[in-house]
């Protein structure tokens, strides 16, 4: 009797710029044995799979990549959703709600009809709204459906802080929290640069200023607009961010990432998905971590949550 070893499968829904970037980076990461690409444009998915397969002889580990359909989600540990209408120049992420809510509902229906019983990671914009809708439509537990949240925004902040303070960006410990969008904020009070608080650094070195840090935050918040204006879309960094999330899940890492998780009283906020520090492992969101924030930062957090809630309610009510 032939025995078949259990293989790890990741399903990608959406073969656009973000999905293709994620798929390429997954093909080199060695995190799973199977990657299935699903897209309404089957020919595009087939083309991406063919191109990626041609690079597998250069990869560190063997991998099967193919263009499939929703039935292939059944055996997947993780489904990553990047499909949806893209953000156009001059358009905010929240402007995409009506278009992408309908798309999300149909995608989740087909995923769940396959018998899928894993973890769903959403990157489609507006990601906090779409993650919440994916959770509502799927019927899965709160821990198993979440968005990429402010993972990318936090990475942007750390990269810019690394340049500013002349250190490796991986040693710039700072978070962007809240909506992945215009109401996000930098949690400066909780930031540490080589073990020192921002206040300590500003007090001991006049090369640094709060005005510079405020400009860094603005550059982080508006980064997508600048990139879209120049090249039409952002996809490399979010692709890497999604790979980082999948690595944490499949590796059962118990690492802290700022994902768009469902809050249930943390920070005084309930009933939405929003960017928060959370421990990620094979369960999905193991727990949300409540870091210390100033009163002003908490006000910004609640404002961000209010904006998301006001945007979400009409969709949930079918208006």
């Amino acid at each position: 009797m032939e025995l078949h070893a259990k293989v790890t499968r990741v399903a990608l829904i959406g073969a656009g710029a973000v999905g293709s970037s994620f798929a390429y980076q997954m093909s080199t990461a060695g995190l799973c044995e199977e990657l299935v690409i699903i897209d309404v444009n089957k020919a595009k998915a087939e083309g991406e799979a063919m191109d990626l397969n041609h690079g597998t002889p250069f990869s560190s580990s063997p991998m099967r990549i193919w263009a499939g359909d929703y039935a292939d989600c059944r055996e997947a540990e993780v489904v990553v959703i990047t499909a949806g209408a893209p953000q156009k120049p001059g358009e905010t992420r929240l402007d995409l709600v009506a278009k992408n809510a309908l798309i999300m509902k149909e995608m989740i229906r087909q995923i769940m009809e396959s018998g899928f019983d894993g973890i769903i990671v959403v990157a489609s914009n507006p990601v906090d709204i779409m993650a919440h809708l994916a959770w509502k439509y799927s019927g899965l537990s709160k821990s198993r459906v979440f968005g990429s949240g402010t993972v990318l925004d936090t990475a942007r902040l750390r990269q810019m802080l690394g340049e500013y303070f002349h250190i490796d960006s991986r040693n710039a410990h700072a978070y962007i929290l809240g909506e992945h969008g215009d109401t996000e904020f930098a949690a400066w009070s909780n930031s540490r640069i080589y073990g020192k608080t921002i206040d300590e650094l500003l007090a001991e070195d006049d090369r640094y200023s709060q005005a510079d840090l405020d400009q860094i935050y603005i550059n982080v918040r508006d980064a997508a607009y600048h990139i879209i204006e120049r090249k039409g879309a952002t996809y490399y960094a979010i692709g890497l961010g999604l790979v980082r999330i999948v690595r944490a899940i499949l590796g059962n890492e118990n690492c802290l990432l700022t994902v768009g998780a469902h809050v249930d009283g943390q920070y005084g906020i309930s009933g939405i998905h929003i960017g928060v520090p959370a421990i990620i492992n094979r369960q999905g969101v193991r727990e949300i971590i409540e870091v210390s924030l100033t009163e002003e930062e908490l006000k910004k957090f609640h404002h961000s949550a209010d904006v998301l809630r006001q945007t979400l309610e009409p969709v949930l009510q079918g208006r």
Side-chain angles (χ1 to χ4, degrees):
M1 183 176 69
E2 186 179 1
L3 297 177
H4 296 280
K6 170 68 175 173
V7 298
T8 301
R9 178 183 299 179
V10 172
L12 166 66
I13 315 295
V18 172
S20 297
S21 179
F22 167 74
Y24 168 68
Q25 291 154 13
M26 282 292 291
S27 75
T28 67
L31 298 181
C32 61
E33 290 83 23
E34 295 185 344
L35 175 66
V36 54
I37 304 173
I38 302 164
D39 195 281
V40 65
N41 183 344
K42 187 66 177 286
K44 177 68 162 61
E46 289 172 347
E48 295 293 348
M50 291 168 66
D51 199 4
L52 290 167
N53 272 314
H54 296 162
T56 54
F58 304 119
S59 300
S60 59
S61 58
M63 188 175 188
R64 179 185 173 218
I65 305 170
W66 76 100
D69 53 39
Y70 283 95
D72 293 311
C73 293
R74 179 182 177 86
E75 303 300 324
E77 277 76 15
V78 182
V79 168
V80 175
I81 302 177
T82 66
Q87 186 178 353
K88 297 177 181 177
E91 202 172 32
T92 71
R93 296 180 182 94
L94 294 181
D95 289 334
L96 302 175
V97 172
K99 288 183 282 188
N100 282 341
L102 293 174
I103 296 171
M104 182 60 67
K105 187 172 187 177
E106 180 58 20
M107 288 190 294
I108 295 297
R109 181 188 68 79
Q110 295 188 71
I111 290 168
M112 299 313 296
E113 283 183 356
S114 75
F116 173 74
D117 192 35
I119 294 169
I120 296 175
V121 179
V122 178
S124 310
N125 274 321
V127 68
D128 304 291
I129 303 294
M130 292 302 114
H132 191 81
L133 293 177
W135 166 67
K136 293 284 284 187
Y137 298 148
S138 70
L140 294 172
S141 66
K142 297 171 185 176
S143 65
R144 290 165 62 192
V145 185
F146 58 95
S148 53
T150 51
V151 161
L152 174 56
D153 312 271
T154 293
R156 287 168 171 160
L157 178 64
R158 292 178 177 182
Q159 184 270 324
M160 293 182 198
L161 288 175
E163 282 194 351
Y164 183 64
F165 289 109
H166 305 290
I167 62 166
D168 187 328
S169 60
R170 292 170 297 181
N171 298 132
H173 300 290
Y175 304 120
I176 293 286
L177 305 180
E179 174 207 358
H180 173 55
D182 295 342
T183 64
E184 66 188 34
F185 68 98
W188 292 124
S189 68
N190 204 266
S191 302
R192 298 292 184 274
I193 307 296
Y194 36 78
K196 297 185 178 183
T197 68
I198 294 295
D199 286 344
E200 288 172 336
L201 289 170
L202 297 184
E204 66 187 36
D205 196 329
D206 59 11
R207 290 178 300 169
Y208 309 129
S209 71
Q210 187 61 51
D212 289 342
L213 295 178
D214 291 342
Q215 187 58 52
I216 286 174
Y217 155 70
I218 291 170
N219 291 340
V220 169
R221 182 195 65 194
D222 297 343
Y225 298 125
H226 297 314
I227 296 169
I228 291 168
E229 181 182 340
R230 288 163 173 78
K231 57 175 276 188
T234 72
Y235 39 87
Y236 295 135
I238 185 56
L240 280 166
L242 290 168
V243 171
R244 182 66 190 92
I245 293 169
V246 171
R247 183 187 301 275
I249 295 169
L250 297 180
N252 197 34
E253 287 189 1
N254 293 295
C255 72
L256 191 148
L257 297 170
T258 51
V259 298
H262 187 284
V263 286
D264 192 18
Q266 295 89 349
Y267 300 98
I269 303 168
S270 296
I272 57 171
H273 281 67
I274 194 167
V276 289
I279 303 298
I280 306 300
N281 64 11
R282 271 277 186 176
Q283 303 167 37
V285 176
R286 193 193 80 189
E287 63 179 301
I288 292 171
I289 303 300
E290 292 192 73
V291 299
S292 59
L293 299 173
T294 66
E295 186 176 337
E296 183 62 29
E297 288 166 345
L298 274 174
K299 285 181 181 178
K300 292 177 180 179
F301 213 160
H302 281 249
H303 170 65
S304 190
D306 288 343
V307 169
L308 286 173
R309 192 175 290 106
Q310 290 163 14
T311 307
L312 178 64
E313 283 175 359
V315 179
L316 294 177
Q317 294 170 7
R319 298 205 301 269

